[in-house]
Amino acid sequence: MTDPAPDTETATATETRTATGRDAVHDADTLRERALASLTTARARTTLLTTCVEDPDLSAQHSPLMSPLVWDLAHIGNQEELWLLRTVAGREAMRPEIDGLYDAFEHPRSERPSLPLLPPDEARRYAAEVRGRALDVLESADFHGTRLTEAGFAFGMIAQHEQQHDETMLITHQLRRGPQALTAPDPDPAPLLTGPSEVLVPGGPFTMGTSEEPWALDNERPAHPREVPPFFIDTTPVTNGAYQAFIDDGGYDDARWWTKDGWAHVRRNSLHAPLFWRRDGKQWLRRRFGVTEVVPPDEPVLHVCWYEADAYARWAGRRLPTEAEWEKAARYDPATGGSTRYPWGDADPAPEHANLGQRHLRPAPAGSYPAGQSPLGVRQLIGDVWEWTASDFLPYPGFRAFPYKEYSEVFFGPEYKVLRGGSFAVDPVACRGTFRNWDLPIRRQIFSGFRTARSGVV
């Protein structure tokens, strides 16, 4: 495995430089501390998700859509070994015979339970041994010389990878049947939102993507100018209460609101409400991490697929925002004309900004986190729920696959739709204003919601 040439990309439009951007990345001690904190936080979460249930639950497949939890655990260790020990440090493989078992492209999720996977105790030992050696590598790492090591990218990539699998494991916990295994405090109640229900985002150019964020992944790069006509976007994500009005109006029984493929999907799978919802008399209930509760009307709607989001938007006389519109609403600062890292500015996320990191096990009520709103007044763009956009997952102009094409490039095309913003299950290390997620338009087990938009006046 060879490392590509050092990164020579440059921003093509104004992009804010920050304390975690290229102006500060040459401080080795700061980089080491950041990498250590990110890796440690990820491993603590992995440990929680793989110790809160008994070993038989780790080895079971709770849905054909997901891997057994024990596969994710060993896969996390295997990827860390491949990149930090073998590629960065040039060390001999610890267990080359298991590489194929934990290659996500070699075996689909539905087949993984039949593989000779490491049992839970052995998977834990393997991941722990890899981590111990990786921390030794980090202690003496040189953060210059190649694109993979520059600014500690490889360590940031692995921390993000583990957190992404932690979110995947949390999805598996939601799909798992049985008693409650995870607990967390609820978000604080939101103050009554008295402002407008939508915000006008002015037309004109802005900088989309990044060439400065040191741990940004390949599909976020490079920064480039994008022209967006004026548009209105919802101040908050669409709520359960608003979505229930769509259901009550017969939205799932009216082909007018659905694309051809969406209507076929609804009919074929008898969809009538978001995943995990069921009607009990005149009220809707939902199952959430082993607990059955009344659907809270003021929370952003969760576990809807792209087809459902698109149909709701049509029913409401609106549409889903494009990916460029979403990012402009989240990053554009009209006072400076520049793009910030997050809606609230360039500072790393703090608890007052957004619902992230599995701090809670549900979205916060719509209107929460006023400290995290954009300069234009759009709230909850980061955290709570992944937001479907109208856009296909495509490369930016000047895209280059790095460090392997299987992360992004093989998924580009009209089959996948882009989601933005992150959810309550996303860690801050794997979430920023430029971060791009994608999935098939039928997927509902993910922590997905949406907000709507409409074209504005010129």
Side-chain angles (χ1 to χ4, degrees):
M1 188 178 304
T2 58
D3 184 35
D7 183 11
T8 58
E9 66 188 14
T10 57
T12 55
T14 303
E15 181 182 9
T16 304
R17 290 178 180 262
T18 71
T20 55
R22 294 260 175 116
D23 289 343
V25 299
H26 299 294
D27 183 339
D29 289 340
T30 299
L31 285 170
R32 229 179 297 280
E33 290 172 6
R34 184 185 181 209
L36 177 61
S38 298
L39 291 168
T40 301
T41 298
R43 186 52 49 90
R45 186 178 176 195
T46 300
T47 301
L48 170 64
L49 291 165
T50 54
T51 58
C52 63
V53 292
E54 299 296 326
D55 284 359
D57 264 346
L58 292 182
S59 299
Q61 186 174 49
H62 300 284
S63 165
L65 296 173
M66 311 303 292
S67 307
L69 292 167
V70 74
W71 185 93
D72 287 286
L73 174 59
H75 171 76
I76 286 168
N78 188 244
Q79 287 293 296
E80 188 166 333
E81 185 198 347
L82 285 170
W83 289 103
L84 299 188
L85 301 187
R86 301 187 202 175
T87 307
V88 171
R91 298 188 180 182
E92 292 293 323
M94 291 170 55
R95 300 195 62 172
E97 76 279 3
I98 69 171
D99 288 353
L101 296 176
Y102 298 102
D103 184 334
F105 285 87
E106 191 168 327
H107 303 286
R109 289 175 175 176
S110 60
E111 296 178 2
R112 291 171 189 170
S114 63
L115 300 175
L117 303 177
L118 300 182
D121 283 346
E122 193 172 351
R124 292 188 187 101
R125 286 194 299 270
Y126 170 62
E129 185 176 356
V130 170
R131 174 53 55 89
R133 297 185 186 189
L135 294 183
D136 289 341
V137 173
L138 175 62
E139 184 63 29
S140 59
D142 179 2
F143 299 118
H144 306 289
T146 71
R147 187 178 174 191
L148 192 61
T149 57
E150 180 73 25
F153 175 83
F155 297 94
M157 178 184 72
I158 288 301
Q160 291 177 82
H161 174 265
E162 181 163 355
Q163 287 285 6
Q164 288 168 333
H165 275 272
D166 287 340
E167 181 176 12
T168 298
M169 288 195 286
L170 190 62
I171 293 169
T172 302
H173 275 282
Q174 168 63 15
L175 290 163
R176 169 185 165 272
R177 293 287 181 176
Q180 182 179 19
L182 294 165
T183 59
D186 286 343
D188 293 333
L192 181 65
L193 185 64
T194 57
S197 62
E198 63 178 3
V199 170
L200 174 63
V201 180
F206 83 105
T207 300
M208 189 170 184
T210 181
S211 296
E212 300 293 338
E213 189 74 29
W215 290 359
L217 303 173
D218 61 2
N219 62 62
E220 302 171 64
R221 299 172 178 271
H224 58 285
R226 189 68 68 95
E227 187 83 20
V228 177
F231 66 98
F232 289 89
I233 193 167
D234 290 340
T235 304
T236 69
V238 171
T239 64
N240 289 320
Y243 196 85
Q244 187 174 330
F246 167 68
I247 299 173
D248 293 343
D249 195 43
Y252 281 88
D253 300 311
D254 193 334
R256 289 181 297 166
W257 313 128
W258 302 82
T259 65
K260 179 181 178 181
D261 289 344
W263 183 244
H265 180 68
V266 166
R267 297 294 93 189
R268 184 168 54 250
N269 294 279
S270 301
L271 302 187
H272 61 276
L275 187 61
F276 306 116
W277 284 32
R278 64 177 176 86
R279 191 184 289 276
D280 181 28
K282 295 184 178 181
Q283 67 180 355
W284 285 97
L285 304 179
R286 72 176 180 188
R287 179 169 59 85
R288 184 179 60 84
F289 297 108
V291 175
T292 298
E293 61 188 14
V294 175
V295 172
D298 58 345
E299 281 186 14
V301 67
L302 190 62
H303 296 301
V304 291
C305 69
W306 185 89
Y307 291 131
E308 291 169 297
D310 179 69
Y312 173 93
R314 293 167 188 260
W315 170 82
R318 298 170 68 83
R319 59 177 173 79
L320 294 179
T322 67
E323 182 183 13
E325 287 175 334
W326 189 97
E327 186 168 325
K328 185 168 187 179
R331 299 185 62 213
Y332 178 69
D333 184 350
T336 66
S339 291
T340 57
R341 298 175 68 217
Y342 298 98
W344 55 86
D346 294 327
D348 287 338
E352 66 269 20
H353 292 137
N355 179 9
L356 292 166
Q358 202 180 309
R359 193 169 67 248
H360 310 295
L361 288 171
R362 64 197 307 155
S368 296
Y369 305 106
Q373 71 181 11
S374 74
L376 295 170
V378 188
R379 296 197 183 183
Q380 290 169 284
L381 286 157
I382 298 292
D384 287 306
V385 294
W386 284 108
E387 298 185 15
W388 289 109
T389 73
S391 299
D392 299 335
F393 185 47
L394 299 172
Y396 290 159
F399 167 84
R400 288 186 294 159
F402 178 80
Y404 55 101
K405 67 179 182 179
E406 289 82 7
Y407 180 71
S408 302
E409 186 175 317
V410 298
F411 296 101
F412 289 145
E415 296 85 1
Y416 292 89
K417 295 295 185 181
V418 174
L419 301 103
R420 287 302 205 103
S423 71
F424 65 88
V426 174
D427 186 81
V429 76
C431 185
R432 47 197 163 264
T434 58
F435 194 93
R436 308 173 75 196
N437 191 8
W438 65 94
D439 215 326
L440 296 169
I442 63 172
R443 291 290 183 241
R444 307 206 299 166
Q445 82 275 17
I446 59 178
F447 300 115
S448 52
F450 64 101
R451 72 181 73 215
T452 67
R454 66 182 176 92
S455 299
V457 295
V458 177

